[in-house]
Amino acid sequence: MNRALPETLHYLEYITGNVMGAPLKLQQQQQSQHSYLNETQFNVFSLPPQATQVQQLQDLINNDSEVRELVNQSMKSDPGLENGWPDFGKYPIPRTGFATTSSLEMDYSISRTCTSPPTVVVAERDSVLTDKMASTIGRERFRKRKADKAQNPKVVVAEDTRDKRIKGDAEEVESEVTEQNNNRETSADKSKENSMVSEVQKPDYIHVRARRGQATDSHSLAERVRREKISERMKYLQDLVPGCNKITGKAGMLDEIINYVQSLQRQVEFLSMKLAALNPRIELNMDNFFAKEMFPAFMGSFPTVGNSSEMGNSAFLQFNPMQQVVTCGLDMAINPPDMALRRTTSTSITITLQQVQPSSHWETDLQSLYNSEFLQGRSAAFPSQPFTGALEANNLKMEM
Amino acid sequence: MGARSSFKLEFLKKWALGLKICSSLAKDMSFLERKKAIKLSADVAMASARDGTTCWSRALIANASKQDDKKIIVRTMLGSEFKKITKSSSSGSFKPEKRVRSKKILRRSCAITRIRKTATKRVLACSIAKRLVKKRTQVLKGIVPGGESMDEVSLLEETLDYILSLQAQVDVMRGFANTQVLSNPK
């Protein structure tokens, strides 16, 4: 999964966007990288304690602000009081600056907002409104669990009443605000801007940012992380399974995957039947395998092998070219087994064998080596002692 | 592509070993027996080439060693790794699935009654899509060895790995069959 890592980073980075600027982004990258390396479901579900606390604090603030707005509408905001509400202006900032502030600072800012006079700054209320309304829209749009609904019934009710009053008043500012809100609602789930819900920095947490217009619940966050993982894997599968480029959506993709796996399994069955039919006895004729197909085939196309054969016949050097021989031969045979190529190689056997004449002794030595290998290999664990140094140094894990 | 070719090489070696074992065990086999032996050794070779790192490989080997006659072959093929692999594949997660299944049935029936009441087109489409996805993941779990005890995320990972290994297996087998065909033009 080595190739997967930068891609997931890229994807996470794309999601998180560049709201906060460079230094935070680097931190996030490190953390997301860290989290991917330590990735378990457990990590995802260690989000809740921070997130619920945050959510509760936010609700507190919102409730307070709603009450104050109701009071304020009757009062008709006093411009003089706006100056006394700079602390409320700090409210979005902690939300934007969560990655840098601890929960202690959050408490501090809340207490300050509570004590300051109840004026409303349009911009701040605007942001609060968007988040509230957008979050309800988000809740409707996404299949939400019961937990979400259970947690925020009061907020929704209060918000509805407030919305009605807003629409009833028909003040210019408020109507503008609502219009903006409506516009933002419609573009809420399309836009990739982020409202900040980052958690306290801890290296083993997966840091997820809530997208704009989405609920910032711990459950939904975890679910979103899970969904993103799944979609990431589906992308890889899309690359792997042929003919899946046009299909979007999980159901269709799964169908294709199922069909492909079934067809591969059927191919294995068919090939084993074919092999059983071809051979009266079960054996893997390595002589035939290498001599007739591989050696001439790659002798012609891999001049490096010819060079190494010139170097001499020492036992040690035999094994390195042996590795190349085997892998190259396998590559030739295996990686795209072109029938036309096969025919040409079979017809050109005689020709290339003549060309190969000078190193024929090496060829026979290799054959005998391989024969002895396979005869020995029955009882003991599979030997390939000459191979072990060279081949098992290769990474046996699949490249992704 | 180095990892891929090394995987194929590993597979080939182990497959050859398995075939040797099979041929040594029973001299004259019928066509079907031969085919089964070939397939078995190919599957076990593919699984052991992954060295027990993936869930499907362990499950494949565990399934293969359930039958006695196959067990001998598998054991001799794998040698010392056999115990390691069968130990790590624990079958502890079967009961929770039954519970989950009955819960799912309950939830589904409740959801259906609820949805029928508030049936908008979009909600219906969503529920249908969800049901399709669930059905197909069930099918996929049946296909991928050891897929029953996996959640969706790891199921997809395992499928990915399994597909890659299957492709390699098919390539090697096809190449070998072609060489057989070409070397014995009868």
Side-chain angles (χ1 to χ4, degrees):
Chain A
M1 285 286 219
N2 288 328
R3 211 182 74 200
L5 191 55
E7 289 192 356
T8 49
L9 281 180
H10 197 65
Y11 186 55
L12 280 171
E13 197 185 355
Y14 173 63
I15 291 171
T16 57
N18 42 8
V19 177
M20 280 312 290
L24 258 183
K25 207 193 264 190
L26 283 176
Q27 279 177 356
Q28 275 256 321
Q29 276 183 5
Q30 287 172 8
Q31 285 155 16
S32 58
Q33 185 178 21
H34 218 291
S35 63
Y36 191 78
L37 289 172
N38 301 336
E39 180 187 297
T40 53
Q41 295 290 337
F42 173 71
N43 279 345
V44 172
F45 288 105
S46 57
L47 286 174
Q50 303 318 95
T52 47
Q53 188 186 20
V54 163
Q55 181 64 29
Q56 286 165 9
L57 292 171
Q58 283 181 9
D59 286 343
L60 233 175
I61 294 172
N62 293 340
N63 283 332
D64 281 340
S65 61
E66 284 157 21
V67 168
R68 289 199 198 94
E69 281 155 17
L70 289 173
V71 169
N72 197 40
Q73 284 162 22
S74 53
M75 268 174 36
K76 303 265 176 176
S77 61
D78 189 354
L81 285 172
E82 278 184 359
N83 296 332
W85 198 249
D87 302 329
F88 187 60
K90 288 210 175 123
Y91 167 63
I93 292 176
R95 270 154 115 231
T96 54
F98 259 113
T100 53
T101 62
S102 64
S103 54
L104 286 175
E105 292 181 13
M106 184 61 183
D107 290 335
Y108 177 63
S109 60
I110 288 170
S111 58
R112 289 180 71 185
T113 54
C114 288
T115 50
S116 43
T119 359
V120 178
V121 180
V122 172
E124 275 71 23
R125 196 182 70 170
D126 182 19
S127 66
V128 170
L129 273 176
T130 29
D131 288 329
K132 296 273 31 151
M133 295 173 77
S135 64
T136 50
I137 300 288
R139 265 181 238 125
E140 284 167 27
R141 294 243 173 115
F142 301 96
R143 318 169 216 138
K144 281 303 164 193
R145 299 185 186 179
K146 296 170 194 169
D148 297 345
K149 292 173 187 168
Q151 278 184 20
N152 305 325
K154 293 180 188 173
V155 174
V156 174
V157 168
E159 194 180 305
D160 286 339
T161 56
R162 187 190 62 192
D163 290 346
K164 285 174 192 167
R165 291 204 189 187
I166 286 170
K167 286 166 186 172
D169 277 337
E171 263 185 282
E172 277 189 24
V173 177
E174 292 174 12
S175 61
E176 275 177 25
V177 167
T178 49
E179 272 177 38
Q180 284 178 15
N181 289 340
N182 287 332
N183 292 336
R184 281 186 196 166
E185 285 160 26
T186 53
S187 63
D189 41 354
K190 289 179 191 173
S191 69
K192 297 283 186 185
E193 295 175 27
N194 305 311
S195 61
M196 312 301 297
V197 194
S198 297
E199 294 81 26
V200 178
Q201 296 173 17
K202 275 190 189 176
D204 50 336
Y205 281 35
I206 294 177
H207 288 258
V208 182
R209 295 202 186 170
R211 289 196 206 132
R212 189 191 182 100
Q214 294 186 0
T216 59
D217 212 18
S218 68
H219 286 287
S220 49
L221 276 175
E223 196 182 310
R224 195 179 315 121
V225 166
R226 182 179 152 269
R227 255 184 277 146
E228 282 163 6
K229 270 194 221 169
I230 287 179
S231 61
E232 189 195 324
R233 306 274 153 70
M234 296 291 272
K235 275 188 204 165
Y236 288 131
L237 281 167
Q238 217 173 18
D239 293 332
L240 204 58
V241 177
C244 268
N245 305 324
K246 306 156 192 172
I247 298 178
T248 54
K250 254 199 250 179
M253 271 300 302
L254 279 174
D255 202 29
E256 286 297 318
I257 291 167
I258 287 169
N259 287 338
Y260 189 58
V261 170
Q262 277 175 337
S263 76
L264 283 174
Q265 286 174 338
R266 265 182 263 137
Q267 271 184 344
V268 169
E269 287 259 352
F270 175 71
L271 281 169
S272 60
M273 262 201 289
K274 189 174 176 185
L275 283 171
L278 282 173
N279 265 353
R281 302 175 296 138
I282 305 179
E283 60 191 6
L284 214 65
N285 253 337
M286 278 296 165
D287 305 346
N288 284 339
F289 194 56
F290 282 104
K292 291 201 176 164
E293 287 305 304
M294 300 303 108
F295 278 55
F298 74 79
M299 282 298 193
S301 52
F302 292 95
T304 54
V305 177
N307 289 336
S308 59
S309 72
E310 289 168 16
M311 274 196 262
N313 212 5
S314 65
F316 177 72
L317 280 173
Q318 253 188 347
F319 298 137
N320 278 333
M322 180 65 162
Q323 172 197 359
Q324 289 178 18
V325 158
V326 172
T327 50
C328 291
L330 279 174
D331 282 344
M332 277 299 298
I334 287 165
N335 285 340
D338 198 357
M339 281 309 293
L341 182 65
R342 295 210 166 278
R343 285 193 209 107
T344 53
T345 52
S346 61
T347 52
S348 63
I349 284 174
T350 51
I351 301 168
T352 50
L353 275 173
Q354 285 167 12
Q355 289 174 354
V356 154
Q357 212 54 306
S359 56
S360 60
H361 58 282
W362 174 45
E363 181 181 350
T364 52
D365 280 347
L366 284 169
Q367 280 190 41
S368 57
L369 187 81
Y370 227 87
N371 282 340
S372 60
E373 290 258 330
F374 274 100
L375 284 173
Q376 285 169 14
R378 188 189 306 179
S379 50
F382 205 85
S384 64
Q385 282 158 7
F387 283 105
T388 42
L391 285 173
E392 284 175 19
N394 288 336
N395 194 3
L396 284 180
K397 290 180 187 167
M398 309 291 286
E399 276 181 353
M400 288 292 206
Chain B
M1 277 309 212
R4 232 185 194 180
S5 53
S6 61
F7 175 78
K8 284 178 182 172
L9 190 63
E10 184 79 14
F11 166 73
L12 191 62
K13 291 190 301 191
K14 295 200 167 154
W15 188 31
L17 174 65
L19 288 177
K20 290 272 177 187
I21 294 170
C22 288
S23 62
S24 69
L25 279 178
K27 287 295 172 183
D28 288 320
M29 292 199 243
S30 69
F31 169 70
L32 279 174
E33 284 174 0
R34 263 183 283 143
K35 172 225 160 194
K36 279 183 189 174
I38 290 174
K39 181 157 190 290
L40 172 69
S41 43
D43 286 339
V44 176
M46 175 174 72
S48 65
R50 284 325 249 121
D51 275 341
T53 48
T54 50
C55 190
W56 65 264
S57 56
R58 291 195 290 266
L60 212 160
I61 290 173
N63 285 340
S65 32
K66 273 180 189 168
Q67 300 181 4
D68 284 331
D69 51 346
K70 293 183 182 176
K71 199 174 184 180
I72 306 167
I73 300 173
V74 176
R75 195 172 274 180
T76 29
M77 269 182 78
L78 292 175
S80 58
E81 300 174 2
F82 180 72
K83 283 185 182 173
K84 197 185 5 163
I85 288 175
T86 45
K87 266 184 195 174
S88 50
S89 66
S90 55
S91 61
S93 53
F94 288 115
K95 275 188 183 173
E97 286 173 24
K98 285 192 177 175
R99 266 190 276 135
V100 168
R101 243 175 259 153
S102 54
K103 267 189 191 171
K104 276 183 181 172
I105 292 170
L106 264 177
R107 210 188 295 160
R108 193 194 292 176
S109 54
C110 294
I112 287 174
T113 50
R114 201 197 328 138
I115 282 170
R116 292 269 164 78
K117 288 175 189 171
T118 68
T120 57
K121 275 189 183 175
R122 194 197 164 90
V123 172
L124 270 176
C126 280
S127 62
I128 290 172
K130 257 191 274 182
R131 220 173 299 155
L132 265 182
V133 167
K134 272 185 195 171
K135 269 190 198 168
R136 286 176 186 170
T137 43
Q138 284 299 314
V139 173
L140 191 60
K141 281 184 181 180
I143 288 181
V144 174
E148 296 293 330
S149 50
M150 278 193 234
D151 56 329
E152 256 197 57
V153 181
S154 44
L155 178 69
L156 286 178
E157 269 193 58
E158 296 288 325
T159 320
L160 204 56
D161 203 62
Y162 186 57
I163 287 179
L164 283 169
S165 327
L166 272 179
Q167 281 177 341
Q169 186 188 33
V170 164
D171 284 339
V172 171
M173 287 177 82
R174 194 187 293 140
F176 184 64
N178 285 337
T179 59
Q180 288 281 310
V181 165
L182 286 172
S183 62
N184 305 333
K186 288 176 185 174

